[in-house]
Amino acid sequence: DVKVTQSSRYLVKRTGEKVFLECVQDMDHENMFWYRQDPGLGLRLIYFSYDVKMKEKGDIPEGYSVSREKKERFSLILESASTNQTSMYLCASSRITGTGTYTEAFFGQGTRLTVV
Amino acid sequence: DQQVKQNSPSLSVQEGRISILNCDYTNSMFDYFLWYKKYPAEGPTFLISISSIKDKNEDGRFTVFLNKSAKHLSLHIVPSQPGDSAVYFCAAPSYNQGGKLIFGQGTELSVKP
């Protein structure tokens, strides 16, 4: 059974704290993604990685960074948490694709982060 | 620039009736589409997909229809059940960006007994 695991289901952090969200997948997938979900905005891509030590900015990378030191692990870092980063954070992984081929992305259970 | 759009934020349907969720896209290069279902406090789970070489794909109670000329797809759920109550997202992969999924805003379906 495929699995993407996020380290925390719920987190409460203070403004200005450095926050680490961890994600591990056991499917040997090359691609890993971090999204955030906000009401009325759908899922927006923060960062993604298609290989170890490789990263690409998504649509809303400001205020975030990522780390991928091992294939199975992708970390999202909030350098200095702010209240507008209160959100549901979702990690996903998928196999690498070429033009005309695709496999679905598998998601973790999500981390509900509240910044106070 | 919202390349995948779900214009109905919510839909309420009676149990046993048909639910129709709609999705529009603007990028004619998209050639594969997926629907995900999401319960509160859980991650999205893959539901059904369709390739642009087809105009219909069916899986049990779920059918997705694709109209390429209109850049429109729809998810039909027949018959709807209370357990189908969730947020549904349509998505399309962007091949030139590692296959990242571009999501619509989501439609919250409520199926009433």
Side-chain angles (χ1 to χ4, degrees):
Chain A
D1 196 19
V2 297
K3 211 163 185 182
V4 179
T5 304
Q6 295 182 228
S7 53
S8 304
R9 292 294 298 268
Y10 301 94
L11 275 179
V12 180
K13 296 292 181 181
R14 294 192 181 278
T15 301
E17 275 193 78
K18 191 168 186 176
V19 182
F20 294 86
L21 302 182
E22 306 286 344
C23 175
V24 177
Q25 52 98 359
D26 65 1
M27 296 165 281
D28 201 35
H29 284 169
E30 294 85 3
N31 296 333
M32 295 189 76
F33 309 87
W34 276 105
Y35 289 87
R36 62 179 280 179
Q37 182 201 357
D38 300 288
L41 297 176
L43 276 69
R44 294 180 293 165
L45 183 66
I46 305 171
Y47 266 97
F48 69 101
S49 168
Y50 52 87
D51 201 353
V52 175
K53 297 194 185 293
M54 304 301 289
K55 59 185 179 183
E56 294 284 342
K57 292 180 180 179
D59 301 314
I60 50 165
E62 297 78 17
Y64 303 94
S65 63
V66 290
S67 172
R68 193 163 181 203
E69 297 296 319
K70 293 185 178 181
K71 189 176 185 180
E72 67 271 18
R73 187 178 297 269
F74 192 35
S75 302
L76 179 69
I77 303 153
L78 285 66
E79 298 291 343
S80 176
S82 63
T83 54
N84 63 12
Q85 292 179 309
T86 292
S87 186
M88 167 72 92
Y89 289 87
L90 294 157
C91 175
S93 72
S94 69
R95 289 208 308 266
I96 204 153
T97 59
T99 301
T101 65
Y102 187 75
T103 59
E104 70 267 23
F106 295 87
F107 282 83
Q109 76 276 31
T111 297
R112 169 68 67 183
L113 173 67
T114 302
V115 182
V116 298
Chain B
D1 179 28
Q2 190 78 22
Q3 297 187 68
V4 178
K5 301 177 186 179
Q6 294 174 259
N7 293 318
S8 297
S10 63
L11 175 68
S12 183
V13 170
Q14 206 68 29
E15 181 179 6
R17 305 295 291 268
I18 185 171
S19 296
I20 301 176
L21 296 94
N22 294 304
C23 180
D24 298 293
Y25 61 98
T26 58
N27 189 338
S28 57
M29 297 298 290
F30 290 154
D31 62 0
Y32 196 89
F33 301 90
L34 305 92
W35 284 93
Y36 280 81
K37 176 180 180 179
K38 185 181 183 299
Y39 293 116
E42 292 185 15
T45 55
F46 170 72
L47 188 60
I48 192 169
S49 63
I50 188 166
S51 165
S52 61
I53 62 173
K54 295 184 176 182
D55 55 16
K56 176 183 174 181
N57 188 27
E58 192 171 351
D59 183 2
R61 296 186 296 114
F62 301 91
T63 303
V64 57
F65 295 91
L66 175 62
N67 182 334
K68 284 190 294 182
S69 61
K71 295 192 180 69
H72 177 83
L73 60 154
S74 59
L75 174 68
H76 293 212
I77 306 173
V78 181
S80 302
Q81 299 173 354
D84 297 328
S85 297
V87 179
Y88 291 79
F89 293 97
C90 67
S94 172
Y95 293 116
N96 64 350
Q97 292 183 293
K100 75 168 191 178
L101 285 172
I102 300 171
F103 284 87
Q105 303 95 314
T107 296
E108 183 171 10
L109 173 66
S110 175
V111 181
K112 300 189 183 306

